[in-house]
Amino acid sequence: MSNVLIINAHQKYPFSEGKLNQTLVDKASKWLGENGHQVRVVTMSDSFDVEQEIANHQWADTIILQSPVNWMGVPWLFKKYMDEVYTAGMAGQLCAGDGRTSAEPTANYGTGGTLTGKNYMLSLTFNAPAQAFEDPAEYLFEGKSVDDLFFPMHMNFRFFGMQALTTFASFDVMKNPQIEQDLARFEAHLAAQFK
């Protein structure tokens, strides 16, 4: 049916071995495979080849980024991956520059993506509870959503011309984990996104 690249962005720490993110990757890979999709998985804790990762992005119809949220963003190993792979792909494989031309040097920034017609989906694991988001009375996020917090990551994929599928999030995974419910929600989420 389609080609799906799953990126496991987890980086191991003494307090976080990455079991939930790996379980979500395994669940997605199994469910997608059982429903006729071809799946490739890349894991940040493994070594990677830049050219192969560019080829994986070109091959994929959809990219799933499975990531814990570390200090309001992705782990540094995935940032390193982006710096190396995405920068190397700017020669036309992932984008043809930033979309601007010499005739219009201030217009159309970010429209040079060559992965148009492809999708991406963020799947995130948070220590924060769901109630911390979208509530102006909550101190830290001031009413912002998960997608507001991850606006820069959305822009990275949009820079390549990709379109967002609905974000999935597991909340409060360290202090009040609801793993079985999260896995059931995740499978339902996959079914809704990959019709």
Side-chain angles (χ1 to χ4, degrees), residues 35-76:
N35 285 277
H37 302 274
Q38 299 295 313
V39 178
R40 294 180 185 173
V41 177
V42 64
T43 302
M44 291 305 96
S45 59
D46 299 335
S47 61
F48 61 86
D49 176 78
V50 169
E51 291 305 317
Q52 180 58 52
E53 294 311 309
I54 290 172
N56 282 342
H57 280 67
Q58 293 174 315
W59 167 84
D61 298 303
T62 302
I63 295 171
I64 297 175
L65 174 62
Q66 179 62 57
S67 182
V69 178
N70 290 7
W71 293 107
M72 312 311 153
V74 295
W76 74 265

Side-chain angles (χ1 to χ4, degrees), residues 105-124:
T106 61
N108 301 312
Y109 180 78
T111 61
T114 56
L115 300 184
T116 55
K118 296 174 182 275
N119 301 312
Y120 70 94
M121 186 183 96
L122 305 181
S123 177
L124 307 167

Side-chain angles (χ1 to χ4, degrees), residues 168 170 176-188:
F168 177 82
S170 295
N176 187 27
Q178 305 291 319
I179 306 303
E180 291 307 315
Q181 293 94 322
D182 284 347
L183 293 175
R185 284 191 312 107
F186 188 53
E187 186 166 326

Side-chain angles (χ1 to χ4, degrees), residues 2 21 24 29 66-67 75 87 94 101 124 133 140 146 153 163 165 169 182 189:
S2 71
N21 281 277
L24 290 164
S29 184
Q66 179 62 57
S67 182
T87 300
L94 305 179
T101 64
L124 307 167
F133 295 94
L140 187 61
V146 166
M153 188 57 57
Q163 298 297 311
L165 299 177
D182 284 347
H189 187 88

Side-chain angles (χ1 to χ4, degrees), residues 4-170:
V4 182
L5 173 64
I6 303 173
I7 300 173
N8 183 349
H10 189 268
Q11 178 177 335
K12 291 185 179 178
Y13 290 96
F15 60 87
S16 177
E17 296 179 16
K19 292 178 184 176
L20 177 57
N21 281 277
Q22 186 61 56
T23 299
L24 290 164
V25 166
D26 293 343
K27 175 75 130 175
S29 184
K30 183 175 188 285
W31 187 90
L32 290 163
E34 288 173 351
N35 285 277
H37 302 274
Q38 299 295 313
V39 178
R40 294 180 185 173
V41 177
V42 64
T43 302
M44 291 305 96
S45 59
D46 299 335
S47 61
F48 61 86
D49 176 78
V50 169
E51 291 305 317
Q52 180 58 52
E53 294 311 309
I54 290 172
N56 282 342
H57 280 67
Q58 293 174 315
W59 167 84
D61 298 303
T62 302
I63 295 171
I64 297 175
L65 174 62
Q66 179 62 57
S67 182
V69 178
N70 290 7
W71 293 107
M72 312 311 153
V74 295
W76 74 265
L77 282 177
F78 182 62
K79 180 63 169 72
K80 177 179 185 281
Y81 176 96
M82 289 192 297
D83 286 345
E84 294 182 10
V85 174
Y86 294 172
T87 300
M90 289 190 68
Q93 304 98 317
L94 305 179
C95 63
D98 65 19
R100 295 180 292 169
T101 64
S102 56
E104 299 251 14
T106 61
N108 301 312
Y109 180 78
T111 61
T114 56
L115 300 184
T116 55
K118 296 174 182 275
N119 301 312
Y120 70 94
M121 186 183 96
L122 305 181
S123 177
L124 307 167
T125 58
F126 284 89
N127 178 49
Q131 293 80 0
F133 295 94
E134 300 186 49
D135 180 352
E138 282 293 319
Y139 168 76
L140 187 61
F141 299 118
E142 301 178 320
K144 304 288 192 298
S145 70
V146 166
D147 287 311
D148 291 332
L149 178 63
F150 267 72
F151 185 76
M153 188 57 57
H154 283 292
M155 293 306 94
N156 288 333
F157 287 111
R158 284 181 57 81
F159 200 83
F160 300 142
M162 302 179 77
Q163 298 297 311
L165 299 177
T166 304
T167 298
F168 177 82
S170 295

